[in-house]
Amino acid sequence: MKHYRFDMKIKKEFLNSPTREVKVDIENIYKFNNSFGIERNWMILDKHNSIKKIKRLLLPDKMIMLTSFLTHDNSIIKDYLIYIDFGKYLTNGNIIEFEDLELDIIIKKDGSFEIDDIDELIDEYEKHHIKKNEFFTILKYETNLINKFEKFNPINTLIEETNDIALKWLINLG
């Protein structure tokens, strides 16, 4: 599982995962109602190096973190509009932490969406890395979002989950 730590005072994003530890500068931080937008350049890694810039919308009162990418034209993720990570937040002063619980939804530019990594969520639960109540809460939240996506479309649903200004900031990468 991945663990993110955002230090809003020194403008740094830290990522710990089974394969790497990353520390990168945050260029800009934006405060929306109950959320924070962060924007940074992409750090060269072993995968996904077709990305130029990344934006994240941190929603500490929800169970999701939204990410958008500005990519090169040849990117394998060029059709992604919003990548939704499901997890849990912990905030302490200027520090916002997000523990990614593996379940993701990818919203594409054509308005379609796909569920990703549900098998990883189940594996982590079966290994007892995710508590039973967290597991079922995440599944319930995801199911609720998907039902709303199908009824209202993903963008309108995410506007309701966040707010219009924050979501427009996230997907305006021009």
Side-chain angles (χ1 to χ4, degrees), residues 6 13 26-28 30 32 36-42 51-58 65-70 81-85 165-174:
F6 304 94
E13 177 182 329
I26 297 171
E27 291 179 29
N28 296 303
Y30 303 93
F32 303 106
F36 297 91
I38 65 160
E39 153 175 66
R40 67 172 176 81
N41 288 323
W42 185 251
I51 299 169
K52 298 179 194 175
K53 183 178 271 274
I54 188 169
K55 287 183 174 180
R56 297 193 195 281
L57 190 57
L58 311 178
M65 177 174 68
L66 308 179
T67 303
S68 64
F69 307 98
L70 178 60
L81 182 63
I82 299 171
Y83 195 97
I84 303 173
D85 290 293
I165 295 168
L167 197 67
K168 285 180 180 175
W169 169 84
L170 181 71
I171 59 178
N172 180 15
L173 289 168

Side-chain angles (χ1 to χ4, degrees), residues 5-148:
R5 186 168 55 92
F6 304 94
D7 188 319
M8 307 304 258
K9 186 173 183 177
I10 65 169
K11 295 174 79 172
K12 298 271 188 211
E13 177 182 329
F14 303 87
L15 165 64
N16 289 319
S17 78
T19 59
R20 72 179 56 92
E21 288 187 24
V22 175
K23 179 173 88 170
V24 63
D25 292 330
I26 297 171
E27 291 179 29
N28 296 303
I29 299 174
Y30 303 93
K31 173 76 171 105
F32 303 106
N33 289 340
N34 294 324
S35 61
F36 297 91
I38 65 160
E39 153 175 66
R40 67 172 176 81
N41 288 323
W42 185 251
M43 179 179 204
I44 301 299
L45 301 169
D46 55 336
K47 296 195 282 185
H48 302 304
N49 287 321
S50 60
I51 299 169
K52 298 179 194 175
K53 183 178 271 274
I54 188 169
K55 287 183 174 180
R56 297 193 195 281
L57 190 57
L58 311 178
L59 301 149
D61 62 340
K62 304 283 183 185
M63 300 183 82
I64 55 176
M65 177 174 68
L66 308 179
T67 303
S68 64
F69 307 98
L70 178 60
T71 65
H72 297 282
D73 292 336
N74 63 343
S75 175
I76 60 171
I77 64 169
K78 69 178 187 269
D79 294 327
Y80 289 14
L81 182 63
I82 299 171
Y83 195 97
I84 303 173
D85 290 293
F86 287 80
K88 60 183 180 178
Y89 284 95
L90 176 66
T91 58
N92 185 6
N94 293 315
I95 306 293
I96 300 173
E97 295 183 65
F98 181 78
E99 186 175 353
D100 184 347
L101 298 179
E102 301 301 338
L103 182 61
D104 307 311
I105 295 178
I106 300 165
I107 299 173
K108 296 187 177 180
K109 291 179 180 175
D110 67 3
S112 65
F113 63 91
E114 62 186 55
I115 301 165
D116 196 27
D117 297 337
I118 195 162
D119 55 330
E120 291 180 26
L121 171 74
I122 293 167
D123 288 345
E124 292 298 322
Y125 172 68
E126 289 174 344
K127 292 176 188 172
H128 303 288
H129 296 157
I130 298 175
K131 296 176 187 170
K132 184 177 181 178
N133 66 325
E134 291 171 346
F135 177 76
F136 287 107
T137 302
I138 288 290
L139 286 177
K140 183 177 177 184
Y141 189 68
E142 182 220 21
T143 301
N144 203 13
L145 268 183
I146 289 170
N147 288 338
K148 289 180 181 179

